[in-house]
Amino acid sequence: MIPCSRTVSLLALGAICLAGCSSEGPSQQQQLKPLTLKEQASNVVKSADGYAVNWAGVLSNANPWHFGEHVVATVIGRDAGGREVVRMDQPLDAVPPGGSLPFTGQASATEKPVKVTIDYRPAQWRPAARIASAFRPFPVSRVQTLRQKDGSYLITGYVGNPYQLPASSLVVNVLLRDKAGKLLGGGSTFVDDVKAGSPPRFILTVAGLPKQTAVAKTDVSARTWGSTGRPFEDLALGGAVPLHTIKPTSEPFQVDRGSQALTGRAQ
């Protein structure tokens, strides 16, 4: 039989443990860092029905174990008097753990905005099923950036798939920069049915940059699209393609020279 005094002590200890466990969830949420808008750029050009407003930005996720989901960017353009002349809520794709999210967009305005700002709603956080290193980037190769006569830029290239499962659809984002690395603008397109070993070609045009713009660098990235990270997570859970898939053709060494070297060094 447990003495009364010890029973009271055990009950008090249990209450403390329960209180600590119940506060673990909120404290963990408080430790998560909010998304940060690392870069943004916008351009306004005259169009047939008013003005075309183009923008590009980069969101960063400093949390290595969580997807930032259901993010919405709010783009607002104001005239010289501060009056709002254009507003758009743009749903964004999920931001991967410990990664970044380039995004671009376009809207029309009947009056010319002189200032364009980008804000975003706080993300909803969801723990990832794998560590950040398991979410390998989609390789982009053979990128070409060609300036056209009308001042636009034609960008082409190929998107690979490092995972064993095929990706039904990927969004390709292009960011254009000057010599100093400053973000100038960008554009987006899609590629479908991306299988390992069969990279599809993408092609897109980025227009709306000022005439004096000099593009020196093109950053291209590809990712799964959607407000949640489930498509990316499913690919990562399916496993990555081995880096070395070709069997060596040379004969193996009769003596392991690596261990022999180590033995000699030990002597």
Side-chain angles (χ1 to χ4, degrees):
M1 182 175 180
I2 302 176
C4 182
S5 59
R6 183 170 297 183
T7 302
V8 174
S9 300
L10 290 174
L11 290 175
L13 181 60
I16 294 174
C17 290
L18 288 175
C21 293
S22 62
S23 62
E24 182 178 355
S27 64
Q28 183 186 19
Q29 290 297 329
Q30 292 174 3
Q31 291 175 3
L32 292 176
K33 299 179 181 179
L35 298 175
T36 56
L37 186 61
K38 294 177 57 178
E39 299 176 277
Q40 60 175 309
S42 60
N43 297 287
V44 180
V45 294
K46 192 73 175 67
S47 62
D49 56 350
Y51 295 89
V53 183
N54 304 281
W55 62 84
V58 179
L59 276 174
S60 178
N61 179 9
N63 303 292
W65 304 101
H66 290 75
F67 277 99
E69 301 183 333
H70 304 290
V71 184
V72 178
T74 301
V75 182
I76 300 175
R78 301 182 185 276
D79 62 13
R83 186 170 60 91
E84 186 177 300
V85 294
V86 62
R87 170 186 283 265
M88 174 174 283
D89 288 333
Q90 180 185 11
L92 300 180
D93 300 326
V95 190
S100 60
L101 177 78
F103 64 93
T104 65
Q106 180 175 323
S108 299
T110 55
E111 299 183 42
K112 182 178 181 179
V114 298
K115 183 179 181 181
V116 179
T117 59
I118 302 176
D119 199 0
Y120 63 93
R121 302 174 192 170
Q124 297 180 21
W125 299 106
R126 183 177 63 81
R130 299 290 302 274
I131 60 176
S133 60
F135 298 97
R136 296 175 54 184
F138 297 90
V140 179
S141 60
R142 291 177 280 175
V143 176
Q144 290 187 326
T145 304
L146 303 174
R147 183 182 174 90
Q148 307 299 296
K149 293 182 179 179
D150 60 357
S152 64
Y153 286 84
L154 178 69
I155 299 96
T156 63
Y158 294 81
V159 178
N161 183 0
Y163 301 100
Q164 296 186 18
L165 297 176
S168 59
S169 183
L170 298 176
V171 56
V172 180
N173 279 280
V174 171
L175 300 180
L176 302 179
R177 302 180 182 276
D178 63 11
K179 291 183 179 179
K182 180 182 177 182
L183 180 62
L184 301 173
S188 303
T189 188
F190 290 89
V191 288
D192 299 323
D193 193 24
V194 185
K195 300 177 181 178
S198 301
R201 185 172 185 246
F202 71 86
I203 179 170
L204 69 107
T205 300
V206 177
L209 299 179
K211 293 182 180 179
Q212 67 274 16
T213 300
V215 174
K217 183 180 180 182
T218 303
D219 290 339
V220 183
S221 61
R223 66 173 188 273
T224 57
W225 64 279
S227 60
T228 74
R230 294 292 184 185
F232 200 3
E233 204 167 50
D234 290 342
L235 290 174
L237 289 173
V241 175
L243 295 178
H244 304 286
T245 58
I246 301 177
K247 185 178 180 180
T249 56
S250 59
E251 293 293 331
F253 295 119
Q254 294 182 358
V255 178
D256 188 343
R257 294 190 295 182
S259 61
Q260 191 177 39
L262 290 174
T263 303
R265 182 178 298 177
Q267 294 176 353

